Amino acid sequence: QKEVEQNSGPLSVPEGAIASLNCTYSDRGSQSFFWYRQYSGKSPELIMSIYSNGDKEDGRFTAQLNKASQYVSLLIRDSQPSDSATYLCAVSGGGADGLTFGKGTHLIIQP
Amino acid sequence: SQTIHQWPATLVQPVGSPLSLECTVEGTSNPNLYWYRQAAGRGLQLLFYSIGIGQISSEVPQNLSASRPQDRQFILSSKKLLLSDSGFYLCAWSVTRGGETQYFGPGTRLLVL
Protein backbone atom coordinates (compact mmCIF):
# COMPACT_ATOMS: atom_id res chain seq x y z
CA GLN A 1 0.00 0.00 0.00
CA LYS A 2 1.36 3.38 -0.99
CA GLU A 3 1.97 5.73 1.92
CA VAL A 4 2.92 9.37 2.19
CA GLU A 5 4.06 10.66 5.56
CA GLN A 6 4.10 14.22 6.81
CA ASN A 7 4.55 15.77 10.22
CA SER A 8 1.10 17.08 11.13
CA GLY A 9 2.48 20.08 13.06
CA PRO A 10 1.56 22.72 13.81
CA LEU A 11 4.79 24.19 12.52
CA SER A 12 5.18 27.73 13.77
CA VAL A 13 7.52 30.08 11.86
CA PRO A 14 8.09 33.80 12.40
CA GLU A 15 7.16 36.15 9.59
CA GLY A 16 10.04 36.67 7.15
CA ALA A 17 11.76 33.38 8.04
CA ILE A 18 12.09 30.23 5.95
CA ALA A 19 9.46 27.54 6.46
CA SER A 20 10.61 23.99 5.72
CA LEU A 21 8.04 21.26 5.11
CA ASN A 22 8.99 17.62 4.67
CA CYS A 23 7.42 14.51 3.20
CA THR A 24 8.47 10.88 2.74
CA TYR A 25 6.84 8.28 0.52
CA SER A 26 6.91 4.50 0.43
CA ASP A 27 6.56 3.60 -3.26
CA ARG A 28 9.93 3.65 -5.02
CA GLY A 29 8.13 3.62 -8.37
CA SER A 30 6.59 7.06 -7.75
CA GLN A 31 7.27 9.47 -10.58
CA SER A 32 5.42 12.72 -9.92
CA PHE A 33 5.37 14.79 -6.75
CA PHE A 34 3.15 17.69 -5.80
CA TRP A 35 2.66 20.23 -3.05
CA TYR A 36 -0.82 21.62 -2.46
CA ARG A 37 -1.88 24.38 -0.09
CA GLN A 38 -5.25 24.11 1.64
CA TYR A 39 -6.79 26.94 3.61
CA SER A 40 -9.31 26.00 6.27
CA GLY A 41 -12.65 25.08 4.69
CA LYS A 42 -11.30 25.36 1.14
CA SER A 43 -10.17 22.91 -1.49
CA PRO A 44 -6.47 22.20 -2.17
CA GLU A 45 -4.65 24.41 -4.66
CA LEU A 46 -1.45 23.45 -6.43
CA ILE A 47 1.74 25.15 -5.27
CA MET A 48 4.49 23.15 -6.96
CA SER A 49 5.12 20.01 -8.97
CA ILE A 50 8.47 18.25 -9.31
CA TYR A 51 9.44 15.22 -11.35
CA SER A 52 13.23 14.87 -11.21
CA ASN A 53 15.85 14.91 -8.48
CA GLY A 54 17.09 18.29 -7.32
CA ASP A 55 15.55 21.67 -6.67
CA LYS A 56 12.80 23.53 -8.47
CA GLU A 57 12.16 27.16 -7.66
CA ASP A 58 9.04 29.25 -8.27
CA GLY A 59 9.03 32.64 -6.64
CA ARG A 60 9.28 32.23 -2.87
CA PHE A 61 8.75 28.47 -3.12
CA THR A 62 11.38 25.79 -3.69
CA ALA A 63 10.57 22.10 -4.02
CA GLN A 64 13.31 19.55 -3.43
CA LEU A 65 13.23 15.90 -4.48
CA ASN A 66 15.55 13.06 -3.50
CA LYS A 67 14.28 9.81 -5.00
CA ALA A 68 17.07 7.72 -3.46
CA SER A 69 15.92 8.80 0.00
CA GLN A 70 12.23 8.89 -1.02
CA TYR A 71 12.03 12.40 0.32
CA VAL A 72 10.32 15.57 -0.89
CA SER A 73 10.45 18.98 0.73
CA LEU A 74 9.01 22.44 0.26
CA LEU A 75 10.79 25.61 1.34
CA ILE A 76 8.92 28.89 1.67
CA ARG A 77 11.19 31.91 1.83
CA ASP A 78 10.19 35.24 3.36
CA SER A 79 7.16 33.62 4.99
CA GLN A 80 4.02 35.75 5.13
CA PRO A 81 0.95 35.42 7.39
CA SER A 82 -1.02 34.54 4.24
CA ASP A 83 1.13 31.39 3.95
CA SER A 84 -0.57 30.03 7.07
CA ALA A 85 -2.41 26.94 5.84
CA THR A 86 -2.18 23.16 5.68
CA TYR A 87 0.33 21.91 3.11
CA LEU A 88 -0.38 18.57 1.46
CA CYS A 89 2.27 16.42 -0.16
CA ALA A 90 0.99 14.18 -2.96
CA VAL A 91 2.64 11.44 -4.97
CA SER A 92 1.71 9.76 -8.26
CA GLY A 93 2.89 6.54 -9.85
CA GLY A 94 2.50 8.04 -13.30
CA GLY A 95 -0.71 6.33 -14.30
CA ALA A 96 -4.23 7.68 -14.62
CA ASP A 97 -5.13 6.64 -11.11
CA GLY A 98 -5.29 9.20 -8.35
CA LEU A 99 -2.72 10.83 -6.18
CA THR A 100 -1.73 9.50 -2.78
CA PHE A 101 -1.81 12.30 -0.24
CA GLY A 102 -0.17 12.80 3.10
CA LYS A 103 -2.34 14.08 5.93
CA GLY A 104 -0.74 17.50 5.66
CA THR A 105 1.36 19.83 7.79
CA HIS A 106 -0.37 22.74 9.47
CA LEU A 107 1.85 25.81 9.05
CA ILE A 108 1.41 28.94 11.16
CA ILE A 109 3.29 32.12 10.27
CA GLN A 110 3.54 34.36 13.30
CA PRO A 111 3.44 38.13 12.57
CA SER B 1 -9.00 28.28 -19.26
CA GLN B 2 -10.33 25.28 -17.43
CA THR B 3 -12.92 25.54 -14.67
CA ILE B 4 -14.33 22.84 -12.40
CA HIS B 5 -17.68 23.17 -10.67
CA GLN B 6 -19.22 21.20 -7.83
CA TRP B 7 -22.66 21.37 -6.29
CA PRO B 8 -24.13 21.64 -3.87
CA ALA B 9 -21.56 23.49 -1.77
CA THR B 10 -22.99 22.14 1.48
CA LEU B 11 -25.47 19.43 2.28
CA VAL B 12 -27.06 18.09 5.46
CA GLN B 13 -28.73 14.72 5.03
CA PRO B 14 -30.33 12.19 7.41
CA VAL B 15 -28.90 8.69 7.76
CA GLY B 16 -30.41 6.35 5.19
CA SER B 17 -31.23 9.05 2.66
CA PRO B 18 -29.88 9.03 -0.92
CA LEU B 19 -27.07 11.22 -2.20
CA SER B 20 -26.14 12.78 -5.51
CA LEU B 21 -23.17 15.10 -5.92
CA GLU B 22 -22.28 16.56 -9.28
CA CYS B 23 -19.03 17.75 -10.80
CA THR B 24 -18.54 19.36 -14.20
CA VAL B 25 -15.43 20.58 -15.96
CA GLU B 26 -15.26 23.33 -18.57
CA GLY B 27 -12.54 24.21 -21.04
CA THR B 28 -11.03 20.78 -21.65
CA SER B 29 -11.94 17.56 -23.42
CA ASN B 30 -11.64 13.96 -22.25
CA PRO B 31 -10.20 14.75 -18.84
CA ASN B 32 -9.42 12.18 -16.19
CA LEU B 33 -11.86 12.77 -13.34
CA TYR B 34 -11.54 11.91 -9.66
CA TRP B 35 -13.61 11.87 -6.48
CA TYR B 36 -11.82 12.26 -3.15
CA ARG B 37 -13.14 12.43 0.40
CA GLN B 38 -11.50 14.32 3.22
CA ALA B 39 -12.85 13.35 6.63
CA ALA B 40 -12.13 15.37 9.76
CA GLY B 41 -8.59 14.73 10.97
CA ARG B 42 -7.82 12.46 8.04
CA GLY B 43 -6.08 12.87 4.71
CA LEU B 44 -7.56 12.96 1.25
CA GLN B 45 -8.82 9.53 0.26
CA LEU B 46 -9.33 8.61 -3.40
CA LEU B 47 -12.79 7.13 -3.92
CA PHE B 48 -13.21 6.80 -7.69
CA TYR B 49 -11.50 7.80 -10.89
CA SER B 50 -12.58 7.78 -14.53
CA ILE B 51 -10.59 7.92 -17.75
CA GLY B 52 -13.65 8.23 -20.00
CA ILE B 53 -17.43 8.09 -20.36
CA GLY B 54 -18.82 5.07 -18.55
CA GLN B 55 -15.38 4.01 -17.28
CA ILE B 56 -15.20 4.03 -13.49
CA SER B 57 -12.54 2.57 -11.20
CA SER B 58 -13.25 2.19 -7.51
CA GLU B 59 -10.47 2.50 -4.97
CA VAL B 60 -12.30 1.81 -1.73
CA PRO B 61 -15.20 -0.59 -1.09
CA GLN B 62 -18.10 1.38 0.35
CA ASN B 63 -21.75 2.26 -0.12
CA LEU B 64 -20.91 4.97 -2.66
CA SER B 65 -20.95 4.74 -6.44
CA ALA B 66 -19.86 6.99 -9.28
CA SER B 67 -20.98 7.54 -12.84
CA ARG B 68 -19.72 9.49 -15.82
CA PRO B 69 -22.66 10.01 -18.18
CA GLN B 70 -20.93 12.73 -20.22
CA ASP B 71 -17.32 13.56 -21.02
CA ARG B 72 -17.06 16.39 -18.53
CA GLN B 73 -19.59 15.28 -15.92
CA PHE B 74 -18.87 13.10 -12.91
CA ILE B 75 -21.51 12.11 -10.36
CA LEU B 76 -21.11 10.60 -6.90
CA SER B 77 -24.11 8.75 -5.50
CA SER B 78 -25.35 6.70 -2.61
CA LYS B 79 -28.62 4.87 -2.08
CA LYS B 80 -28.43 5.04 1.73
CA LEU B 81 -26.08 7.37 3.58
CA LEU B 82 -24.19 6.33 6.71
CA LEU B 83 -22.92 8.58 9.47
CA SER B 84 -19.39 7.72 8.34
CA ASP B 85 -20.09 9.27 4.93
CA SER B 86 -19.79 12.76 6.42
CA GLY B 87 -16.86 14.70 5.04
CA PHE B 88 -15.57 17.10 2.43
CA TYR B 89 -16.01 15.68 -1.07
CA LEU B 90 -13.65 16.93 -3.70
CA CYS B 91 -13.76 16.44 -7.44
CA ALA B 92 -10.55 16.83 -9.43
CA TRP B 93 -9.48 16.65 -13.07
CA SER B 94 -6.26 16.09 -14.96
CA VAL B 95 -5.22 15.74 -18.57
CA THR B 96 -5.50 12.27 -20.03
CA ARG B 97 -1.82 11.38 -20.24
CA GLY B 98 -1.72 10.24 -16.64
CA GLY B 99 0.53 11.19 -13.78
CA GLU B 100 -0.20 14.82 -14.40
CA THR B 101 -1.24 17.57 -12.05
CA GLN B 102 -4.73 17.32 -10.63
CA TYR B 103 -6.85 20.42 -10.14
CA PHE B 104 -9.57 20.47 -7.54
CA GLY B 105 -13.07 21.85 -7.52
CA PRO B 106 -14.44 23.90 -4.61
CA GLY B 107 -15.79 20.82 -2.84
CA THR B 108 -19.06 19.75 -1.21
CA ARG B 109 -19.27 19.59 2.56
CA LEU B 110 -21.61 16.75 3.56
CA LEU B 111 -22.95 16.25 7.06
CA VAL B 112 -24.95 13.10 7.72
CA LEU B 113 -27.07 13.23 10.88
Side-chain angles (χ1 to χ4, degrees), chain A residues 32 34 36 38 43 46 95-96 99, chain B residues 34 36 38 90 98-99 101-102 105:
Chain A
S32 307
F34 307 90
Y36 287 84
Q38 186 175 24
S43 63
L46 180 72
L99 301 176
Chain B
Y34 307 85
Y36 290 87
Q38 189 175 39
L90 292 156
T101 304
Q102 293 183 17

Side-chain angles (χ1 to χ4, degrees), chain A residues 32 34 36 38 40-46 49 51 88 92-103, chain B residues 32 34 36 38 41-44 46 49 51 59 88 90 97-107 109:
Chain A
S32 307
F34 307 90
Y36 287 84
Q38 186 175 24
S40 180
K42 302 296 185 181
S43 63
E45 57 178 322
L46 180 72
S49 59
Y51 303 95
L88 304 173
S92 170
D97 54 347
L99 301 176
T100 301
F101 282 85
K103 293 184 178 180
Chain B
N32 291 335
Y34 307 85
Y36 290 87
Q38 189 175 39
R42 302 181 66 179
L44 278 161
L46 178 66
Y49 69 93
I51 62 172
E59 290 293 306
F88 192 32
L90 292 156
R97 290 192 297 277
E100 298 293 335
T101 304
Q102 293 183 17
Y103 299 94
F104 287 87
R109 195 162 299 280

Side-chain angles (χ1 to χ4, degrees), chain A residues 6 8 11 14 17 20 25-26 30 36 65 68 81 87 89 104 108 110-111:
Chain A
Q6 294 181 256
S8 62
L11 174 65
S20 178
Y25 59 95
S26 64
S30 299
Y36 287 84
L65 174 61
Y87 288 79
C89 174
I108 299 172
Q110 295 181 323

Side-chain angles (χ1 to χ4, degrees), chain A residues 23-65:
Chain A
C23 168
T24 59
Y25 59 95
S26 64
D27 184 5
R28 284 196 170 275
S30 299
Q31 298 183 18
S32 307
F33 306 86
F34 307 90
W35 283 100
Y36 287 84
R37 178 176 62 199
Q38 186 175 24
Y39 291 115
S40 180
K42 302 296 185 181
S43 63
E45 57 178 322
L46 180 72
I47 298 295
M48 295 279 290
S49 59
I50 187 166
Y51 303 95
S52 55
N53 283 328
D55 296 358
K56 179 182 178 182
E57 185 174 322
D58 184 0
R60 296 187 296 112
F61 299 95
T62 298
Q64 299 174 317
L65 174 61

